[in-house]
Amino acid sequence: MNPTVLTILISSLGLGTTLTFIGSHWLLVWMGLEINTLAIIPLMIRQHHPRAVEATTKYFITQATASALLLFASITNAWTSGEWSLTEMINPTSATLALTALALKIGLAPLHFWLPEVLQGLDLTTGLILSTWQKLAPFAILLQLYPLLNPNLLLSLGILSTIIGGWGGLNQTQLRKILAYSSIANLGWMITILHYAPNLTLLNLILYIIMTLTTFLLFKIFNSTKINSIASSSTKSPLLSINTLLTLLSLGGLPPLSGFMPKWLILQELTKQSLFTPATIMALKTLL
């Protein structure tokens, strides 16, 4: 790809996320999300491979649907309350629609079906952007909206995501699909605790981004997309192979690695809130 075009696209990615971060008007926030989506589409399709074209088409349709739903939610709220401010979403129907749209955007279960397929069709660099940077803008909105969202719906989405993330990654040999299901499971933990302790959601998101960044970069060094290729590369660079193993275990939340810390704190907070059943289900599903 032409360096000038690449610079423009990466700058647009940054601009879109920044607009969503600083915006308090729904139209500005929506515009930031749209710029973000349109900037990553050419990066996804640059391989000119049928698999990449399929993944890009699926991603575009999904994101367009989510953006339309989010715009509909904000317009409905403005119609009933006369407010376009992000933190003034007083209409419960609009808040639920906005949460559904954002869940579809980031790939929360049961709206997760596009994520493993799309990630599988991309190269590792674009997959890294999709798994990390593209999560920031929707989470910036969720962290502002959390007092207005239905806690039971958040809990349901979170528990379902941890279950599907755990089960889905079990029979996979493709590393990108494993990372996609890992993303779904981690997002489930973040959403579950969002209403009760948003600071824990932020901590989990930061640690998830660091661990995912490390994992993708290690896979890029090995040039591997399957589990078998990591096993065969352990003789060439044993230290990097050990790092890869530790990072994957950390993403899974195995103690005493860093990925276990946010899960431990979230379980502790859920117990304080007397939500014993969700805490038990999530702890058991993490064992997968």
Side-chain angles (χ1 to χ4, degrees), residues 56-260:
T56 309
T57 309
K58 283 178 180 175
Y59 182 75
F60 177 72
I61 291 168
T62 308
Q63 297 298 309
T65 307
S67 291
L69 193 58
L70 192 68
L71 189 61
F72 179 66
S74 57
I75 289 170
T76 309
N77 184 66
W79 198 339
T80 52
S81 67
E83 285 287 344
W84 279 99
S85 175
L86 199 68
T87 52
E88 296 292 331
M89 187 163 265
I90 54 175
N91 186 351
T93 310
S94 300
T96 306
L97 280 172
L99 176 58
T100 309
L102 292 167
L104 182 58
K105 264 200 171 294
I106 57 179
L108 275 174
L111 307 167
H112 68 286
F113 296 103
W114 62 273
L115 185 56
E117 296 300 320
V118 168
L119 204 58
Q120 180 59 29
L122 302 178
D123 65 304
L124 289 168
T125 310
T126 318
L128 170 61
I129 296 170
L130 184 66
S131 300
T132 54
W133 187 261
Q134 293 297 91
K135 301 276 192 276
L136 293 176
F139 263 100
I141 302 170
L142 284 169
L143 284 165
Q144 292 178 74
L145 282 182
Y146 79 89
L148 315 169
L149 301 174
N150 184 344
N152 293 325
L153 182 57
L154 287 171
L155 265 177
S156 304
L157 287 171
I159 291 169
L160 196 58
S161 295
T162 52
I163 291 170
I164 287 175
W167 277 113
L170 273 180
N171 61 343
Q172 298 296 335
T173 57
Q174 297 286 342
L175 290 171
R176 284 168 293 184
K177 277 197 175 181
I178 290 172
L179 285 172
Y181 283 110
S182 166
S183 170
I184 293 163
N186 275 289
L187 291 171
W189 282 89
M190 295 177 215
I191 288 296
T192 303
I193 204 65
L194 179 65
H195 188 80
Y196 305 101
N199 54 332
L200 285 182
T201 299
L202 192 59
L203 172 69
N204 201 340
L205 180 64
I206 291 165
L207 281 171
Y208 163 75
I209 286 173
I210 292 167
M211 290 184 294
T212 306
L213 183 69
T214 309
T215 311
F216 268 101
L217 291 176
L218 285 166
F219 290 164
K220 196 164 173 59
I221 291 167
F222 286 134
N223 195 22
S224 57
T225 54
K226 291 187 177 180
I227 288 178
N228 299 341
S229 53
I230 288 184
S232 60
S233 61
S234 60
T235 51
K236 299 174 191 172
S237 48
L239 190 61
L240 280 179
S241 298
I242 292 166
N243 279 340
T244 308
L245 177 64
L246 288 174
T247 313
L248 283 170
L249 290 173
S250 185
L251 265 175
L254 192 79
L257 301 168
S258 55
F260 173 65

Side-chain angles (χ1 to χ4, degrees), residues 34-49:
E34 284 298 294
I35 292 169
N36 226 346
T37 303
L38 292 174
I40 201 173
I41 294 291
L43 294 173
M44 293 169 78
I45 210 168
R46 63 180 173 168
Q47 287 178 306
H48 301 295
H49 187 274

